[in-house]
Amino acid sequence: MGFNKSKFMEIPRDILIGTNVLEETPDFCDRLNFSGSSLVLTGPNTIEIAGNRVDELLISSGFESETQIVKQATRSEVNKITRSWKNRELDFLVGVGGGKTIDVTKVVSDKLGDLPFVSVPTATSHDGIASGRASILDEEGNKVSVSSTTPIGVIADTSLLSESPWRLTASGIADIISNYTAVKDWHLAKRLRNVEYSSYAAALSEMTAETLLNKTDSLKKGLEETSWVVAKGLISSGVAMSIAGSSRPASGSEHKFSHMLDRIAPEPALHGEQCGVGTIIMMYLHDGDWKKIKNALRSVGAPTDAKSLGIEKKYIIEALQNAHKIRPERYTILGDKGLTKEAAIKVAEKTGVI
Ligand SMILES: NC(=O)C1=CN([C@@H]2O[C@H](COP(=O)(O)OP(=O)(O)OC[C@H]3O[C@@H](n4cnc5c(N)ncnc54)[C@H](OP(=O)(O)O)[C@@H]3O)[C@@H](O)[C@H]2O)C=CC1
Ligand SMILES: O=C(CO)COP(=O)(O)O
Ligand SMILES: [Zn+2]
């Protein structure tokens, strides 16, 4: 009989971080006592950036390795990959790419009987790098956050990460900053709805956002130091989710807003970018220092309004009106009824988002 994963506080066993550490992938796999056959799951672009290199390194060190491209983070993609590999000899998985690829790797690992896997982010764009949570689109096209396998190891190559497009890094910074309102929402839900709350997870999440916010002036494109700082923040945020056993410490009303934009906007922006703009608005609703959030996002070049998100104002308003319908059991500042159209316009105008 399997254990109930929600009772586990799973965190990665080993995290390798530093310059050119991708080259140490086979040694890292040895250290994790892996042997035999691996499957490298990677993205259509990231296969060239790191996926093929990981595959080559494993093969040249005596592992058997095959590669498969993950096209999208959907349930059908997960099922397709699982079906093709479930009767094959596989000892471990390696997820190489952005948030979507790593999320799919987590769920495939879960479906293959908790097959151990290593997370190899190619960008510091999201805080799922080290967490056991995954966001997957279901058959109706709705994003669902599921508990899945936590990576047993993480390889964060700061030289590779520092060469990724700055837009991805800025998005990851915004995903961390969004912890501010996620924690405020969680605390509110504890007071009003008596929900399960972890002070440790909340404190870690908030401290991670605070630490990064105080460093935004030093975060610069192409600087390896920046990749170190952001990667550590993303890992720390992932650990907060593991302690909580849910994404609560890193996902509140601002994430609901982003998930709703993913559903309704014809061309959504990046996950962290949308969450960052959501944080400005939700901070305003919480009567917090939303200007500080906005200035920090602006200073790293992350979007702060509809125009820089590349999303028409009407979708921002629609998303604000409907965000509360995402995962309705997760109580936030948006309440059970959400914002009226008038309130949505008002808050978006006041904060300069539209
Ligand atoms: N599990 C969790 O706790 C969390 C999950 N998420 C999820 O993660 C996803 C967001 O992740 P994000 O990384 O922003 O989005 P994607 O995974 O969609 O990646 C965005 C794009 O960047 C490309 N890319 C990645 N690395 C590089 C690089 N080094 N150079 C050039 N291009 C690169 C990807 O390539 P390619 O096409 O090859 O993939 C992709 O085209 C969302 O689905 C979100 O829900 C977000 C936060 C937390
Ligand atoms: O994006 C996340 C944390 O940053 C995960 O949150 P969700 O559970 O809302 O997908
Ligand atoms: Zn997020």
Side-chain angles (χ1 to χ4, degrees):
M1 199 172 70
F3 287 109
N4 176 351
K5 279 199 183 170
S6 65
K7 292 185 179 159
F8 273 91
M9 206 187 274
E10 280 186 343
I11 52 174
R13 201 186 91 185
D14 288 316
I15 296 176
L16 181 61
I17 178 163
T19 308
N20 289 323
V21 293
L22 191 76
E23 300 300 308
E24 295 171 40
T25 300
D27 290 342
F28 188 68
C29 291
D30 282 341
R31 184 185 156 89
L32 292 167
N33 293 323
F34 290 168
S35 58
S37 310
S38 70
L39 170 63
V40 177
L41 293 175
T42 187
N45 299 302
T46 45
I47 185 166
E48 300 294 343
I49 293 160
N52 282 337
R53 182 66 190 144
V54 167
D55 184 56
E56 261 170 41
L57 286 163
L58 288 171
I59 290 173
S60 64
S61 300
F63 291 95
E64 282 174 34
S65 177
E66 292 199 56
T67 300
Q68 177 154 1
I69 290 187
V70 173
K71 296 201 190 92
Q72 47 202 350
T74 60
R75 191 107 68 195
S76 62
E77 181 82 341
V78 165
N79 290 340
K80 198 176 86 194
I81 298 173
T82 309
R83 265 197 311 274
S84 4
W85 292 93
K86 73 168 185 252
N87 296 320
R88 309 266 299 266
E89 280 282 308
L90 268 187
D91 297 290
F92 64 100
L93 302 175
V94 189
V96 184
K100 287 185 183 156
T101 301
I102 292 175
D103 277 356
V104 167
T105 312
K106 288 175 187 175
V107 188
V108 169
S109 155
D110 188 41
K111 293 210 171 252
L112 291 174
D114 243 350
L115 201 62
F117 89 95
V118 175
S119 157
V120 185
T122 53
T124 47
S125 50
H126 63 98
D127 60 7
I129 288 173
S131 78
R133 309 290 313 172
S135 299
I136 297 288
L137 286 178
D138 68 13
E139 289 73 11
E140 281 82 46
N142 298 326
K143 197 171 260 193
V144 284
S145 177
V146 291
S147 169
S148 55
T149 308
T150 301
I152 188 166
V154 179
I155 300 178
D157 183 325
T158 48
S159 26
L160 174 80
L161 295 168
S162 65
E163 281 163 19
S164 70
W166 179 255
R167 184 181 171 200
L168 294 171
T169 308
S171 182
I173 295 169
D175 202 19
I176 296 174
I177 288 177
S178 78
N179 290 8
Y180 267 118
T181 44
V183 172
K184 281 188 182 295
D185 282 325
W186 197 11
H187 199 252
L188 183 73
K190 176 189 163 231
R191 282 192 286 132
L192 298 185
R193 295 290 157 100
N194 201 25
V195 303
E196 211 174 312
Y197 181 83
S198 158
S199 320
Y200 286 107
L204 176 61
S205 172
E206 202 174 34
M207 183 268 287
T208 305
E210 179 86 10
T211 306
L212 195 75
L213 195 88
N214 291 332
K215 284 181 191 282
T216 46
D217 286 347
S218 65
L219 303 175
K220 300 273 181 286
K221 181 175 166 29
L223 269 193
E224 225 178 302
E225 175 67 21
T226 295
S227 299
W228 268 92
V229 170
V230 181
K232 284 198 222 168
L234 295 168
I235 291 166
S236 173
S237 188
V239 171
M241 289 192 255
S242 292
I243 294 173
S246 85
S247 60
R248 250 302 188 179
S251 170
S253 49
E254 72 303 312
H255 271 63
K256 287 178 183 248
F257 167 72
S258 170
H259 294 324
M260 188 47 82
L261 280 177
D262 283 340
R263 280 195 199 177
I264 62 173
E267 284 188 50
L270 289 172
H271 168 83
E273 294 178 330
Q274 296 180 162
C275 293
V277 172
T279 306
I280 298 172
I281 294 172
M282 304 310 161
M283 199 65 161
Y284 176 89
L285 292 178
H286 275 289
D287 204 16
D289 192 351
W290 60 273
K291 289 184 183 158
K292 191 172 166 189
I293 302 288
K294 188 167 183 166
N295 289 336
L297 292 173
R298 190 181 281 138
S299 77
V300 297
T304 56
D305 55 20
K307 189 161 181 261
S308 47
L309 275 177
I311 295 178
E312 276 184 66
K313 291 177 185 178
K314 65 176 180 184
Y315 296 115
I316 301 285
I317 301 305
E318 200 183 324
L320 283 173
Q321 284 176 261
N322 293 296
H324 66 289
K325 295 177 188 159
I326 301 279
R327 209 162 22 192
E329 69 286 359
R330 183 168 290 192
Y331 189 79
T332 69
I333 191 77
L334 296 169
D336 296 321
K337 298 212 163 61
L339 302 182
T340 60
K341 187 168 186 183
E342 293 67 34
I345 294 173
K346 187 174 169 198
V347 66
E349 283 180 349
K350 283 264 183 203
T351 51
V353 167
I354 63 167

